[in-house]
Amino acid sequence: MERKPVHVSYLTQVPGPYRERMHELVSEFGDFSYDVIYCAKVEPNRKWKLSYGDYPMYFLAEKAETFRHNNLNVWGLLNKLNPTILIITAFKPTMLYGVLWCLLRGRKIIVYNDGTYDSEQHLSFTQKLIRKLVYKVTSAFMAPGKGTVDLYKSYGVAEKKIFKSCLCVDNTQFEYQPMQQRPYHILYCGQITERKLPFLFTDVAIKLNKEIPNFKALIVGDGALKDEMLLRLDKNNVDYHFAGFLDQKSLLSYYAKAKVFLFTTIDDVWGIVANEACASGTPVITSKEAGVAGDLILDGENGYVLPLDANVWANTIKALLENEQQLETFAEKAMEIVKPFNHQQAADGLRQAVNWTQPAKKNQTTLTPLNL
């Protein structure tokens, strides 16, 4: 008996520049039809200038207000699209309506969660219960890295059901410059908000400024704490350049202007800025609070994973900047390690998860989880 055509719908919150090419590649596979349902077009705190990919997409709302998380319009759209498999990427009410729709119609569910075991420890009993119930009816799971794999396993998910679909950028678009040609010692790139710990960066910069001749810092981004961040640097006579917010295209060359990227954060389930830095051959200093730690950023290979202590960061960075050979080795390793984190891998992981949920066709090769 011939299997019915497979139709996959990917239900997510808003478009992101690091996922558009993946969606294009998935839609080009041809072994199943594919579309993406967005809860809204824009995120209130994002300034992305996004070029949409060439794939079928639908929007439930124009703006990303709170109602985007609780939109019953998804039910009617699912009735229209009638997917065989639904991929959900969060556990907001809109996503849970999709889960219920699948259960009532006997459709398969795939969960893509970019949270990690550590990042979800603060969740309430109810939030954890919802995940536990959804995971019990989920056919396959997608994970960007090891932290999410550990999270799934903590809920009893079998490893054979987990497929890696990385978070990534187009590595080929980023520029590399030899360390000797980089005018800045350290780089901050991100929203200038409490979560991103801008004052840890300033404390490190102030300490390094006292130890390194002609020290210079580069700051890219914007946010509520910008004025205070720059004031602290000014008061301590730190030489810096503030570039402000840069769109994705303008940002491409900036990582290669600094010798080391300081990825300061109190909570990032991944941290796509680390991909961008590595693609530019820029070593990354971060902490275990970043999802990339131990996955993309390997301590002592392409950067360091350190406790959130300004003295430790300053001493480690000073030693690295004074060791040109190690700095170059880290730069080369950064570009090597980031290569497998690409859009093709992300698309292949999604395809593997989809095919896992389907009975194998005659002469079809069984797909197994990617190396996590």
Side-chain angles (χ1 to χ4, degrees):
M1 183 177 179
E2 188 175 350
R3 193 171 72 182
K4 292 182 179 179
V6 177
H7 177 192
V8 179
S9 288
Y10 185 106
L11 176 58
T12 191
Q13 299 188 66
V14 293
Y18 47 83
R19 273 308 198 197
E20 289 301 290
R21 182 56 184 156
M22 183 205 76
H23 292 314
E24 285 186 325
L25 291 171
V26 172
S27 68
E28 293 168 5
F29 278 139
D31 46 358
F32 54 82
S33 59
Y34 181 77
D35 51 56
V36 180
I37 303 170
Y38 291 109
C39 293
K41 285 188 174 182
V42 294
E43 191 92 43
N45 62 343
R46 296 288 186 186
K47 296 181 180 180
W48 286 329
K49 293 181 180 179
L50 186 66
S51 297
Y52 294 117
D54 184 15
Y55 59 90
M57 65 185 78
Y58 303 88
F59 294 92
L60 298 177
E62 288 294 315
K63 296 181 180 179
E65 305 295 345
T66 54
F67 67 80
R68 75 189 172 106
H69 298 310
N70 191 0
N71 195 325
L72 280 168
N73 290 335
V74 69
W75 196 276
L77 183 56
L78 289 173
N79 283 335
K80 177 182 176 181
L81 299 176
N82 198 25
T84 316
I85 300 169
L86 180 67
I87 300 173
I88 66 166
T89 63
F91 298 90
K92 305 295 184 181
T94 305
M95 309 284 180
L96 299 180
Y97 299 148
V99 171
L100 181 59
W101 184 91
C102 289
L103 294 176
L104 291 175
R105 286 163 175 74
R107 307 302 165 81
K108 300 291 182 65
I109 300 164
I110 295 174
V111 167
Y112 172 77
N113 185 353
D114 62 2
T116 66
Y117 179 81
D118 290 336
S119 73
E120 292 203 358
Q121 290 307 297
H122 70 281
L123 296 182
S124 68
F125 172 80
T126 301
Q127 289 172 313
K128 290 181 178 179
L129 179 61
I130 289 171
R131 283 157 173 74
K132 186 175 182 179
L133 294 174
V134 172
Y135 290 164
K136 283 186 177 297
V137 296
T138 298
S139 298
F141 298 79
M142 293 162 55
K146 296 174 183 176
T148 306
V149 175
D150 292 340
L151 172 64
Y152 288 145
K153 288 182 176 179
S154 73
Y155 283 93
V157 175
E159 188 168 348
K160 66 181 180 180
K161 292 184 176 182
I162 305 172
F163 300 84
K164 183 177 180 181
S165 179
C166 68
L167 290 171
C168 59
V169 295
D170 184 350
N171 299 322
T172 65
Q173 294 297 307
F174 288 83
E175 298 181 11
Y176 171 79
Q177 286 191 55
M179 287 294 164
Q180 300 89 335
Q181 298 177 19
R182 301 186 180 205
Y184 302 97
H185 292 87
I186 62 173
L187 166 68
Y188 180 98
C189 184
Q191 294 178 327
I192 306 178
T193 60
E194 282 190 34
R195 185 171 67 88
K196 296 296 187 176
L197 298 179
F199 301 141
L200 172 59
F201 178 90
T202 59
D203 288 347
V204 172
I206 291 166
K207 292 177 184 297
L208 291 174
N209 187 51
K210 297 176 181 178
E211 300 286 340
I212 298 175
N214 303 313
F215 175 81
K216 294 182 180 180
L218 175 60
I219 301 167
V220 177
D222 202 357
L225 299 181
K226 177 198 73 176
D227 291 343
E228 177 64 22
M229 182 186 194
L230 301 185
L231 180 61
R232 292 191 185 195
L233 294 174
D234 288 334
K235 283 184 175 180
N236 288 275
N237 300 312
V238 176
D239 187 1
Y240 69 88
H241 172 64
F242 176 66
F245 171 80
L246 297 176
D247 60 35
Q248 294 302 111
K249 185 176 181 180
S250 301
L251 186 60
L252 294 175
S253 64
Y254 267 74
Y255 289 95
K257 294 180 183 294
K259 300 177 190 294
V260 183
F261 172 51
L262 278 59
F263 181 23
T264 54
T265 179
I266 195 63
D267 179 22
D268 263 274
V269 293
W270 182 254
I272 206 71
V273 288
N275 295 68
E276 296 171 334
C278 287
S280 305
T282 305
V284 177
I285 313 296
T286 192
S287 64
K288 66 179 181 62
E289 284 74 18
V292 294
D295 205 326
L296 174 60
I297 306 305
L298 305 181
D299 188 59
E301 293 191 36
N302 61 346
Y304 291 108
V305 179
L306 303 174
L308 294 173
D309 183 307
N311 288 320
V312 174
W313 281 52
N315 292 336
T316 302
I317 294 166
K318 179 177 181 291
L320 178 59
L321 290 171
E322 291 175 345
N323 189 335
E324 292 184 8
Q325 183 176 353
Q326 187 178 36
L327 195 60
E328 291 288 357
T329 300
F330 275 22
E332 292 173 5
K333 198 69 175 178
M335 290 185 288
E336 177 186 335
I337 291 174
V338 80
K339 283 182 180 179
F341 293 81
N342 57 65
H343 294 298
Q344 188 63 59
Q345 190 286 319
D348 287 344
L350 189 151
R351 179 171 174 250
Q352 288 189 322
V354 168
N355 285 345
W356 173 263
T357 70
Q358 301 300 299
K361 293 180 180 179
K362 189 176 181 180
N363 299 325
Q364 176 179 308
T365 302
T366 302
L367 292 171
T368 56
L370 294 175
N371 181 20
L372 294 165

